[in-house]
Amino acid sequence: MSTPTRKKDRLFAEQILPGDFEFDKEVAEVFEDMISRSVPGYTTILDMIAILAENYIQENSKIYDLGCSLGGATFAITRQLPNIPCSIVAIDKSSAMIDRMEKKKASLGTTMALIECRCEDILNAEIFNASVVVLNFTLQFVQLSDRQRLIEKIFAGMNPGGILIVSEKIRFPDDKLNSLFTDMHHGFKGNRGYSKLEISQKRSALENVLIPETIDTHRSRLTQAGFNSFDVWFQCFNFASMVVFK
Ligand code: GEK
């Protein structure tokens, strides 16, 4: 999804008043630049989600991209889909994100007709006949008390043999590892041009909004909901992507 017109993220470059991070119009405008300079392996993860979707899509079923932002995973999947009848439902509760995604979809032409973009809270969204479900860095923004219910709803809406992909920022039970990986992540952002001020202001803005959990917590929640064959298929520092099957 990288384009020469991609706008650079400078949202935290100047000293700003404290406040919680929001997925508003300003963030949507720079989102592609922001996520690819902030999440180690983001492009690889999208490419691999497309391959997983290609392998697990079932005829006449749906793919759900939950918390789709600008449709990074959705558009990667559409490039890789086999020629079988299916559709993709891309959901985000930020209208700024969905508006931009709709524009991108329109610019890509009629082959994108299989994508339905919805501005909706995933906690209220109906999920059914799903063979592939993607939560790519979305669950971390859902309130802790709502996470189990959401995962159970996804399980109920999936077909047997379907795959759920969950990518998250993660926490470690060991404090030493937590600070090592946090430092490495900040080093990664520094190498990609973010200043110390940008890194620390973004960190404070996300503090109450992005709540990471340990891999064990994810495993317990997913298996408790009924999913099987849990494993981590990608990890770089404190970012991981997990798969489970129904
Ligand atoms: C990608 N998956 O590029 N309902 C709907 N949307 C939500 C909810 C909710 N309850 N909570 C958060 N979001 C994307 C990247 S970004 C990750 C996902 C990041 C949405 C929120 O509006 C935002 O667009 C997205 O989840 C998280 O593959 O910024 O680190």
Side-chain angles (χ1 to χ4, degrees):
M1 283 237 319
S2 66
T3 60
T5 54
R6 179 193 273 188
K7 189 170 168 192
K8 187 159 182 176
D9 167 27
R10 298 200 72 259
L11 296 181
F12 294 90
E14 309 296 331
Q15 189 83 46
I16 54 168
L17 291 171
D20 284 344
F21 185 85
E22 279 182 50
F23 290 98
D24 55 16
K25 197 160 171 285
E26 285 68 37
V27 169
E29 269 181 12
V30 298
F31 187 73
E32 286 177 6
D33 181 68
M34 173 185 279
I35 195 154
S36 57
R37 288 202 290 139
S38 305
V39 175
Y42 175 70
T43 310
T44 305
I45 292 171
L46 292 188
D47 289 347
M48 295 302 128
I49 286 176
I51 291 175
L52 290 168
E54 179 190 14
N55 285 319
Y56 287 94
I57 179 72
Q58 298 166 355
E59 237 177 271
N60 295 311
S61 72
K62 293 175 189 291
I63 297 172
Y64 283 85
D65 182 5
L66 303 177
C68 57
S69 297
L70 302 184
T74 294
F75 293 121
I77 290 170
T78 50
R79 286 192 288 274
Q80 192 87 23
L81 267 189
N83 192 17
I84 59 167
C86 62
S87 60
I88 306 184
V89 184
I91 304 177
D92 203 290
K93 71 175 177 183
S94 157
S95 57
M97 290 291 190
I98 291 295
D99 287 352
R100 281 185 86 84
M101 182 175 175
E102 289 275 22
K103 287 197 183 102
K104 167 114 185 163
K105 180 184 148 185
S107 76
L108 292 172
T110 50
T111 51
M112 295 296 136
L114 80 165
I115 303 171
E116 181 194 343
C117 305
R118 281 197 216 150
C119 186
E120 196 178 9
D121 192 319
I122 55 174
L123 293 168
N124 304 327
E126 196 190 1
I127 295 173
F128 68 98
N129 186 23
S131 55
V132 178
V133 179
V134 178
L135 275 168
N136 200 33
F137 300 107
T138 302
L139 191 62
Q140 59 194 17
F141 292 106
V142 172
Q143 289 219 344
L144 286 174
S145 55
D146 290 326
R147 292 183 188 181
Q148 186 72 35
R149 176 167 68 91
L150 173 63
I151 294 298
E152 281 169 10
K153 178 175 74 170
I154 293 172
F155 182 81
M158 285 180 66
N159 299 338
I163 188 170
L164 167 65
I165 302 150
V166 185
S167 313
E168 289 276 290
K169 185 169 188 182
I170 51 166
R171 199 166 65 68
F172 297 83
D174 184 299
D175 286 344
K176 204 167 178 179
L177 287 178
N178 254 331
S179 48
L180 169 69
F181 289 128
T182 302
D183 288 349
M184 289 173 88
H185 177 226
H186 291 172
F188 168 89
K189 291 183 76 168
N191 281 352
R192 272 149 191 77
Y194 283 118
S195 68
K196 287 204 162 38
L197 179 67
E198 283 176 295
I199 293 169
S200 84
Q201 293 198 124
K202 174 90 180 281
R203 187 184 191 179
S204 310
L206 282 172
E207 194 134 25
N208 303 317
V209 182
L210 191 171
I211 314 291
E213 295 176 296
T214 62
I215 292 285
D216 272 350
T217 303
H218 286 292
R219 186 202 315 267
S220 309
R221 178 182 298 118
L222 289 161
T223 49
Q224 205 181 313
F227 286 104
N228 58 61
S229 303
F230 172 97
D231 218 330
V232 175
W233 66 270
F234 175 93
Q235 189 182 333
C236 183
F237 317 141
N238 43 357
F239 291 82
S241 190
M242 301 157 263
V243 276
V244 275
F245 300 87
K246 176 159 176 180

